[in-house]
Structure formats: C-alpha cells, structure tokens
Amino acid sequence: MDTDSLVTHVLAALALVITASWALGTLARRLRQPPVIGQLLAGIALGPSLLGLAPHGIYAALFPEEIKPVLTALAQVALALFLFAVGYELDLGQLRQRRAVTTVSLSGFALPMVMGAGLVVLLPGAFRSVNGGRPVDANFALYMAVALSITAVPVLASIIRDQGLAGSRPATIAMAAAGVIDVLSWPVLAVCLIGDGRDSLGDWLTRTGLLMAYVLVMVFAVRRLLVWWMNRPGSVLTDPVPVATALTLASAWATNALGLHVIFGALLAGVVMPRQRDGIPDSRVLRPLQETGSLLLPVFFTVSGLSVQLRELRLSDLLLLLALCVAAVAAKVAAGSLSARRGARLPWRDSVLVGVLLNTRGLTELIVLNVGLQAGLIGPRLYALLIIMALVTTAATGPLIRLLHPPTAAAEGAPAEPRADDGRTPNAQPGSSRAPGTGAEATPRPRKS
C-alpha cells in the first residue's frame, strides 16, 4: 500500500471510529451507563468478533493490516496525553488523608489483590489453558492481583455526577480512596513489567536502576527546570502547552525505552508538571491536553476491541469468567463496605455504596489489560475474558447504586444538568473538569493537603 492509499484508509477508519464511538457512547449515557461502556462496545463491534463476520471482506477493506500500526500509534499518543492529565490531577497528599480514606483505600486495594492472586493459586490449570500455556508464576499472579484491584477514577467521577451523588460523604470517600488505589496500583504494575522473566538478573537490576534514576531526575531536576522555565519574566516561550506536550511524549518514550510502557512516562510527566501557587492544576495546561487526548481515545477503544477475539472463547472459559466476576465484585464491595463501616462509621447502606462505587473499573482497567497484552503477560483469550469482566463490573455500578439509593420523584423530574460537551458549563463541583466526548471525567482538581 502506497502512502496516499495509507493516508486515505487511515482517515476513513478514523471517521468511522469516532462516529461509532460517539453514537454508542451517547446511547450508553441514555441507558444511564458510563459512555465508556458504549465506546468499548463500538471498538468490539468494529473488530473481528462482529464486523469480521460481515461478507465480502468488509472488515479487511475498512481495517487492512497496513493501517493497524498507525492506529496503534495514535492510540498510544491518546493514552499518553490522557494519562498526563490524570497524573497532573493526582493528589499525592491523599496518601496522608484522614483515617476513613486511608482505611477504605488500603482495604479496597489489598483485598482485591489477595483475591486476584488467590484465584491464580486455586485455578492454575484454568489460567494456563485460557492463557495459551504462558507461565502461571508469581509475576502473573501479581498482574492478576493488580487487574482485580483497579478502580477507574475518571469513570467513577462520571457515575457519581450522573447518579446525583456529588458532595455526599460516601461519594467523597470513594473518590479519594480510588485516587489512592490508583497511586498504589501503577508502581505494582511497573514491577510486573520489570519482572516479566525475560531478562537475566543482571538485566533486571540494570533496568530497575535506570528506572529509579529516571524517576529521581524527573522529580528533582526536571521539575525544578520546569518551574524556572515557566516563570521566566518576559519570555516569548512561556506557552505551557507545547512544553507539557513535549515533556509528555519524551517521558513516554523514555519509559518505553526502559522496557515499561508509555503510560508510566506520561503519568510521571503529569506528576512533575508545576501547578499554580495554590496547588490547583493550571487550566491552560490541563484542558488542551485533556481534550486532545479525549478526542483520540476512541482510537484506543477501537484498538482494544480489535484485540478481542470472542469467537476463540470456549465453554470452559465462561466458568473462569464467572469466577473472575464474582471475585472482582465480592472483593471490592466487601472491602469497601467493611472498611467504610469501621473507618468512617457510615450506616450500612452508605458503607455498601462505597464498596459498589469502588467496583467501577472502566477505562483504567482497559489500560492495564492492554499493557498486559502488549507485554505478553496475558494472551488473547484471557484478555477477552478480562475485558468482559471490566464491562460487567462497570455496568453493574449504576443499577446497584439505584438499588441502594432509589432516586426521589423530585430528582427524577428535575431538568438535566448541562454537560461540558454541549458547549455549556456543567453544574459541577468547584474545580472539577471533564474530558468531553469520552465520558471520562477527570478527578476533581486537588488542592494541597
């Protein structure tokens, strides 16, 4: 395929991807589900599992093999920009929050980790079979532990707003705890990638040392350089957006070159990016990168869907899927409920609500699963099962919330809030921001603790 044909196919594929993602995302919102559910379903529908069944080679004509590397590259750029915004809004001070948040976050992280690793120990044969014979070792068990412990902060923020829970104590505790769980999960995932067993001990020590040195340079040298650069008086190069973009992509390249994934460099770039004097992220930096990443995120959903091979699943795989869903839901709900009851002394109904909110996985889970697939930690069949688990657990959050807190008649008859993607300002909490078009709401802008 020549360059002109390649460009033509990529443009047509992007138009189809963005349209399908927007349509199914809107449909999901009308069904009172997070748009990420519909967007991922759009990716699966455009993949070999559904569109691949169409006659006359329609799938091959729309998504020829030659354009898939281009779509993958665009998906990685989208992830890098989006994860920069997530890192920029991360409040590391949440690790020092009051007892309620600490108790809920540690329980909501540790118990699902134990359940995930425990499933591997109890069912090694099932995992070996569904994972294409890949080794079921300690590193794989640690990865499965992370996969079950994730809570998606952006999607959780969307659900809290859409369900009318913003400002309530259970929602506030769940959001803060989810942020801490994310902070704890990313380093563990990095350990999984470093210890994938493909390198010798010497190579492992070298990679670990280089990674630690890189983090130290970013935190103590690059951050200070950025503060000086951004605050130079009278400079014509004070626009922070090109600086933030270059920093994000360069940092993503660095961690990818170290054998990790682009998401770690992008997250780290967001963490070291200077904020305003009051500790709030600078909207001049946050909004452009957040909106650009969100615009391209449908490509990531499509690339994720192209890797889902539903036709390859077997009947025995469905039993493992059931075990994964039960373990994932039970661990999160139990951990959140019991810790909220004990640490925050919430009523039982509100305590269970905290556990249900922490069971939201969504976009962050998809990122973890794609990292595992690309690193060879999981194969296509297990990837498909975990994608379904993420969809089921995220889709169950809304109905469970309505079961615990049925909407009042007044709330049901109230006019809908304007949304950020229709050109109006959302009636949100002060300091909150939203990634338009993806349903992936960013976490409230944190202040210094």
Side-chain angles (χ1 to χ4, degrees), residues 67-86:
I67 75 167
K68 290 181 180 178
V70 179
L71 295 179
T72 301
L74 287 173
Q76 297 303 307
V77 171
L79 273 186
L81 297 178
F82 183 81
L83 266 297
F84 168 87
V86 172

Side-chain angles (χ1 to χ4, degrees), residues 97-156:
Q97 288 285 353
R98 58 187 182 276
R99 175 184 173 186
V101 173
T102 302
T103 303
V104 172
S105 56
L106 292 180
S107 300
F109 176 71
L111 183 56
M113 288 272 292
V114 172
M115 290 286 282
L119 271 182
V120 176
V121 173
L122 291 174
L123 305 170
F127 280 102
R128 189 175 295 108
S129 173
V130 78
N131 210 26
R134 289 173 175 79
V136 180
D137 52 14
N139 197 56
F140 174 76
L142 185 61
Y143 174 80
M144 289 302 302
V146 175
L148 264 66
S149 67
I150 283 293
T151 295
V153 174
V155 181
L156 177 58

Side-chain angles (χ1 to χ4, degrees), residues 1 22 29 69 74 98 116 126 129 141 160 169 204 228 237 290 305 307 312 314 318 333 339 370 427 441 447:
M1 183 181 294
W22 168 79
R29 185 178 286 279
L74 287 173
R98 58 187 182 276
S129 173
I160 287 174
R169 195 170 181 221
W204 183 87
W228 169 79
L237 297 176
Q290 192 178 59
S307 302
E312 301 296 326
R314 304 169 186 172
L318 301 182
V333 175
S339 57
N370 272 270
N427 185 19
E441 279 71 2
R447 297 179 183 270

Side-chain angles (χ1 to χ4, degrees), residues 226-250:
L226 287 170
V227 171
W228 169 79
W229 181 272
M230 306 290 284
N231 295 329
R232 289 181 306 153
S235 173
V236 297
L237 297 176
T238 55
D239 185 356
V241 175
V243 175
T245 303
L247 173 69
T248 301
L249 298 180

Side-chain angles (χ1 to χ4, degrees), residues 346-387:
L346 294 177
W348 270 114
R349 177 174 291 190
D350 287 346
S351 298
V352 175
L353 177 61
V354 172
V356 168
L357 290 172
L358 291 181
N359 192 45
T360 304
R361 287 175 174 84
L363 175 60
T364 311
E365 179 77 3
L366 300 185
I367 295 173
V368 172
L369 298 183
N370 272 270
V371 170
L373 182 65
Q374 292 177 14
L377 292 171
I378 58 176
R381 281 169 59 198
L382 182 55
Y383 173 79
L385 291 185
L386 292 172
I387 286 286

Side-chain angles (χ1 to χ4, degrees), residues 216-293:
L216 292 175
V217 168
M218 287 288 288
V219 172
F220 294 105
V222 174
R223 179 177 174 81
R224 293 182 180 180
L225 180 62
L226 287 170
V227 171
W228 169 79
W229 181 272
M230 306 290 284
N231 295 329
R232 289 181 306 153
S235 173
V236 297
L237 297 176
T238 55
D239 185 356
V241 175
V243 175
T245 303
L247 173 69
T248 301
L249 298 180
S251 184
W253 166 80
T255 53
N256 194 63
L258 288 174
L260 291 175
H261 193 274
V262 297
I263 63 171
F264 296 102
L267 273 168
L268 184 58
V271 170
V272 303
M273 190 69 188
R275 301 186 181 193
Q276 299 181 90
R277 294 185 182 275
D278 55 5
I280 297 178
D282 189 344
S283 61
R284 296 177 304 163
V285 176
L286 181 64
R287 289 190 64 87
L289 270 71
Q290 192 178 59
E291 292 175 354
T292 303

